[in-house]
């Protein structure tokens, strides 16, 4: 009982957060970052191609391929926080 009361007090003080809510927020942030990263080749290829004097379309395809390959790599194991 004392542990539960202490946990509730810590939640009210903002020291603890709901795990499910935290996971939901982290996933939403990760998804937003991934979506923004996937737009990078289209945004940057025109300027990069002009600066390098290469074909814009081919450069964008190369960057997209490398980016997709990078995003498909498995993530390293994260430590258990339980």
């Amino acid at each position: 009982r004392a542990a539960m009361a202490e946990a509730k007090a810590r939640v009210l003080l903002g020291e603890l957060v709901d795990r499910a809510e935290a996971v939901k927020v982290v996933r939403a942030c990760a998804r937003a970052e991934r979506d923004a990263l996937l737009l990078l080749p289209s945004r940057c290829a025109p300027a990069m191609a002009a600066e390098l004097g290469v074909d814009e379309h081919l450069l964008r395809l190369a960057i997209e391929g490398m980016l997709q390959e990078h995003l498909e790599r498995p993530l390293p194991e994260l430590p258990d926080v339980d």
Side-chain angles (χ1 to χ4, degrees):
R1 274 193 185 278
M4 183 61 90
E6 180 183 345
K8 287 181 181 180
R10 291 182 68 194
V11 168
L12 291 173
L13 292 171
E15 295 175 0
L16 294 177
V17 297
D18 179 67
R19 181 185 178 105
E21 185 63 27
V23 167
K24 186 173 24 171
V25 169
V26 168
R27 284 190 176 144
C29 289
R31 205 170 12 260
E33 282 297 317
R34 182 180 187 277
D35 291 348
L37 190 56
L38 288 171
L39 293 175
L40 188 65
S42 294
R43 284 194 354 246
C44 294
M48 290 174 67
E51 185 175 323
L52 297 171
V54 298
D55 182 79
E56 177 185 329
H57 178 73
L58 292 177
L59 179 61
R60 183 179 51 78
L61 290 177
I63 297 170
E64 285 174 351
M66 291 175 167
L67 184 57
Q68 192 63 40
E69 183 181 306
H70 174 75
L71 291 173
E72 289 173 359
R73 288 186 191 137
L75 293 173
E77 283 295 316
L78 298 174
D80 190 13
V81 293
D82 287 337

